[in-house]
Amino acid sequence: VCGTVLQCASHTCEEICHSGKCGPCPRSGERTCPCGKAKANLPCTEDIPTCGDTCEKELECKIHMCSERCHTGPCGQCRQLCMKKCRCGQRSKEIPCYKEYLCETKCTRMKDCGKHQCRRKCCDKNCPSCEQECGKTLGCRNHKCSSRCHTGPCYPCPLTVPVTCNCGATKVIVPCGRDKVTRPPRCKLPCKIPPDCHHPTRIEHRCHFNRCPPCRQVCGKNHEKCSHTCPAICHSAVLTKVQQGKTKFPWEARPEVKLEQKNFECPPCLVPVPVTCLGEHETVNIPCWTARVQSCGRECKRLLPCGNHTCSLECHKVTQAISSDQAGTNCSQCEEPCEKARAKGCSHPCVLACHPDECPSCKQMIRMRCHCQLVVQYVECYKWTRAGQREKDHLKACPSQCPKMLKCGHQCTAICHPGSCPGAETCTKKMTVKCPCKFIKKEFPCHEVIKKKIVLQCDEVCKMTREKQRQSKDDKDKQKQEEDLKRQQEELEEFERKLKKPKRKPRKQRVVEEEPSFIQRFWKVGLSILVLLVAIITYLIIYAM
């Protein structure tokens, strides 16, 4: 600003620095009130008063005028209500003029990156550029792009990574992402992986990836049951295939097979060891893991206390034996049957085992039928063989009555006996004698009937009784014959009645009449209407021409 004191000596020049003289004081001469309606000529040191009229200056909105009274200073904000559209032009609302209306609708346009939406409220279609980080996975597949979101491919990863051998002593530097396809360098140093088995060190080999080869050293462990060492190849931490589950059907997928490390037990010790059998029959060399005193499988053959037979058991340990040939307490007992001759008539063997003394009396029970063959008798063998004929008949007899029948038809009254029964002449039982018509009955002793041949004759009463019985029988036969004839006559009448029954009339067949369709009923009317329409149309065409 110029700032030079003007001619009035009260104010300074407010113009931008310029050449030449400054102009007159802007407050000198005739001036107007703040609204410009009233004029006055006052010194520059005095302010012109307001006129009191409406200001009516154009407000900042360039649409409405100031409605306040004439005033100094700038006009206020336009507070008149008016319909305003939002910035995006989708909505409108009545608000004060000085305010800007912004709706809540978010912009769905894509930013310049082509990936993210604008999402700015009430956007005027001039979407700002995308400020987000790109975040795409680079070609190395390890890092993401840190540049601002952009179109097209990203720049390659600027980092580098080392590719080392298994022990890490040898390495090669490659760009990031190439470590997966770059072959690790070959290391010449020995492998430093500790052994999995019980050996302190592995067989020396170069540094490598994956599992070490299986240990081929001798096991060298001491067997638990003996002092011998295991001569087999190391069988600790051996890789074995383990199948997960089983398939039920052939079309199912095969289960996975995994490798697991397992420790196997040492194989049995095969060092030969001399062993004598239990019965001290022989000494042989057998493998150490089966080396135990056992039976050789032969018979013991030591002399038993009976002095006739030897022990038949399989080779076993003998205890409390007097000598090497005598049997011990745990040898078999002589169970051979006694072979001595039995008494005459006895067919049973001796119940005792082999013994030097005489055999005891045979007490086996002999089973036999009594004289009448009804009861089974049991007699001790020694009693039967030592008894005479009379005693045998007594032993064989039972206490029951003889069941045999005499010639007269009655049962024998004697107790069970051998031989034939006594004659019918001694029978004392009562016998009933009847006349020929069996009306008269009398009882006589059996032996008298047989000896005297007693016979009863019919009398007059018997004859009258026979006549009545015969007449009664004839009446019954006649009555039965009449009933049969009556029943046959009824059956014949029933049969004739069934034959004369009228036959059923034949059923009439139903005839279904088909109703004619609409076209079949009114085809003549339709045809006449069609002919009439054709005639009218033809007439109209001719008239129009």
Side-chain angles (χ1 to χ4, degrees):
V1 179
C2 177
T4 304
V5 180
L6 300 176
Q7 292 179 359
C8 66
S10 297
H11 301 95
T12 57
C13 180
E14 295 179 357
E15 295 181 3
I16 303 299
C17 182
H18 58 88
S19 60
K21 293 182 179 180
C22 296
C25 181
R27 296 173 62 89
S28 63
E30 190 176 13
R31 290 180 290 166
T32 58
C33 65
C35 66
K37 293 180 180 179
K39 295 182 180 180
N41 194 352
L42 295 173
C44 66
T45 56
E46 294 181 12
D47 294 330
I48 296 177
T50 56
C51 64
D53 198 359
T54 305
C55 179
E56 293 185 352
K57 283 184 180 180
E58 192 180 39
L59 296 174
E60 292 180 358
C61 63
K62 307 294 183 182
I63 299 172
H64 304 106
M65 302 296 180
C66 182
S67 59
E68 296 181 2
R69 290 183 179 277
C70 181
H71 60 85
T72 58
C75 297
Q77 295 176 338
C78 181
R79 296 183 179 276
Q80 189 170 347
L81 295 175
C82 62
M83 290 296 294
K84 277 192 172 185
K85 280 192 174 185
C86 62
R87 188 164 56 187
C88 65
Q90 294 185 16
R91 301 179 186 274
S92 57
K93 189 179 181 182
E94 190 176 26
I95 58 172
C97 185
Y98 75 94
K99 289 185 178 180
E100 184 181 7
Y101 174 48
L102 299 176
C103 68
E104 296 295 324
T105 305
K106 292 183 179 181
C107 181
T108 57
R109 289 169 171 266
M110 302 300 289
K111 292 186 177 181
D112 55 355
C113 64
K115 298 176 184 177
H116 304 105
Q117 290 183 345
C118 176
R119 307 302 291 169
R120 187 175 66 162
K121 291 183 179 180
C122 197
C123 182
D124 57 355
K125 299 183 182 180
N126 293 325
C127 301
S129 58
C130 186
E131 296 295 333
Q132 295 187 29
E133 189 176 328
C134 176
K136 282 185 181 178
T137 304
L138 298 176
C140 64
R141 303 292 179 185
N142 297 325
H143 306 99
K144 293 185 177 181
C145 180
S146 59
S147 303
R148 197 180 71 175
C149 189
H150 58 87
T151 57
C154 302
Y155 287 102
C157 183
L159 303 175
T160 58
V161 290
V163 178
T164 62
C165 64
N166 192 29
C167 66
T170 310
K171 61 182 178 178
V172 178
I173 305 298
V174 294
C176 182
R178 299 282 296 176
D179 53 339
K180 295 179 181 179
V181 295
T182 304
R183 197 171 182 179
R186 190 172 182 181
C187 181
K188 296 182 180 181
L189 298 176
C191 178
K192 297 179 181 179
I193 299 175
D196 299 328
C197 61
H198 63 280
H199 293 107
T201 56
R202 291 184 183 271
I203 298 173
E204 189 174 345
H205 57 281
R206 286 186 178 182
C207 175
H208 61 90
F209 289 93
N210 301 327
R211 297 180 183 273
C212 291
C215 181
R216 294 295 177 185
Q217 302 180 59
V218 176
C219 176
K221 287 183 180 179
N222 290 331
H223 289 282
E224 295 179 358
K225 296 182 180 180
C226 63
S227 59
H228 304 119
T229 57
C230 178
I233 294 174
C234 180
H235 42 79
S236 300
V238 179
L239 283 176
T240 8
K241 290 182 179 180
V242 178
Q243 189 172 359
Q244 302 293 328
K246 293 182 179 180
T247 56
K248 292 184 178 179
F249 304 101
W251 56 82
E252 291 182 351
R254 292 185 178 180
E256 296 182 1
V257 178
K258 295 184 179 180
L259 293 176
E260 292 184 1
Q261 285 186 349
K262 289 187 177 181
N263 295 327
F264 294 97
E265 295 182 357
C266 295
C269 182
L270 301 176
V271 177
V273 177
V275 177
T276 304
C277 69
L278 293 171
E280 299 179 356
H281 298 117
E282 61 180 4
T283 301
V284 292
N285 292 330
I286 57 176
C288 179
W289 70 281
T290 57
R292 61 180 181 276
V293 179
Q294 58 186 356
S295 172
C296 64
R298 302 175 184 176
E299 286 188 7
C300 179
K301 289 192 176 181
R302 289 182 179 239
L303 190 63
L304 294 176
C306 68
N308 300 323
H309 305 96
T310 56
C311 177
S312 60
L313 295 178
E314 191 179 339
C315 175
H316 62 95
K317 187 176 181 180
V318 182
T319 57
Q320 299 179 5
I322 300 172
S323 64
S324 60
D325 297 335
Q326 295 294 324
T329 54
N330 60 340
C331 286
S332 64
Q333 302 296 324
C334 182
E335 296 178 357
E336 293 293 328
C338 179
E339 298 176 357
K340 292 183 179 181
R342 306 295 288 167
K344 187 178 180 180
C346 177
S347 60
H348 305 112
C350 182
V351 295
L352 300 177
C354 181
H355 59 91
D357 303 329
E358 291 185 1
C359 298
S361 300
C362 181
K363 294 184 180 182
Q364 291 283 345
M365 303 300 288
I366 299 174
R367 183 175 180 271
M368 62 183 71
R369 290 276 179 179
C370 65
H371 299 293
C372 58
Q373 302 296 317
L374 293 179
V375 181
V376 177
Q377 296 286 86
Y378 291 93
V379 183
E380 290 182 342
C381 181
Y382 76 95
K383 290 182 180 179
W384 183 262
T385 54
R386 294 176 185 176
Q389 185 62 37
R390 193 170 183 177
E391 292 179 358
K392 286 182 179 180
D393 291 342
H394 178 72
L395 291 172
K396 194 174 181 180
C398 70
S400 303
Q401 184 182 351
C402 179
K404 293 177 183 179
M405 304 301 291
L406 300 176
K407 290 180 180 181
C408 63
H410 297 115
Q411 186 179 352
C412 179
T413 56
I415 303 300
C416 180
H417 59 87
S420 58
C421 296
E425 293 80 8
T426 60
C427 182
T428 58
K429 288 191 176 182
K430 297 290 183 178
M431 187 174 180
T432 304
V433 180
K434 298 179 182 180
C435 68
C437 66
K438 299 181 181 179
F439 184 75
I440 301 173
K441 300 178 183 179
K442 287 185 179 181
E443 290 184 353
F444 300 96
C446 183
H447 63 276
E448 290 182 4
V449 175
I450 293 171
K451 287 179 181 179
K452 297 180 181 180
K453 297 181 181 181
I454 300 172
V455 177
L456 295 177
Q457 299 296 329
C458 293
D459 55 2
E460 292 297 327
V461 177
C462 289
K463 291 179 182 180
M464 290 175 66
T465 305
R466 274 202 307 272
E467 187 66 28
K468 285 181 181 180
Q469 289 178 353
R470 185 171 60 253
Q471 188 176 1
S472 175
K473 185 179 180 183
D474 292 341
D475 293 341
K476 287 182 180 179
D477 292 343
K478 188 176 180 180
Q479 187 180 359
K480 185 178 180 183
Q481 190 175 6
E482 288 176 357
E483 288 177 357
D484 290 343
L485 288 172
K486 187 178 179 180
R487 189 179 68 257
Q488 289 175 4
Q489 184 66 27
E490 288 177 355
E491 289 178 356
L492 181 61
E493 289 175 358
E494 180 68 20
F495 180 71
E496 289 177 353
R497 187 180 61 79
K498 288 183 179 180
L499 287 176
K500 291 178 181 180
K501 191 176 181 180
K503 296 183 180 179
R504 293 178 64 183
K505 294 181 180 180
R507 183 180 289 180
K508 292 183 179 181
Q509 296 183 355
R510 294 178 62 186
V511 179
V512 181
E513 296 181 358
E514 295 183 359
E515 294 183 0
S517 63
F518 180 81
I519 297 172
Q520 290 175 350
R521 285 186 291 174
F522 300 103
W523 69 274
K524 293 181 179 180
V525 179
L527 184 61
S528 60
I529 293 170
L530 183 61
V531 172
L532 183 60
L533 288 173
V534 171
I536 293 169
I537 292 168
T538 307
Y539 175 75
L540 290 175
I541 292 170
I542 294 169
Y543 181 76
M545 292 175 62

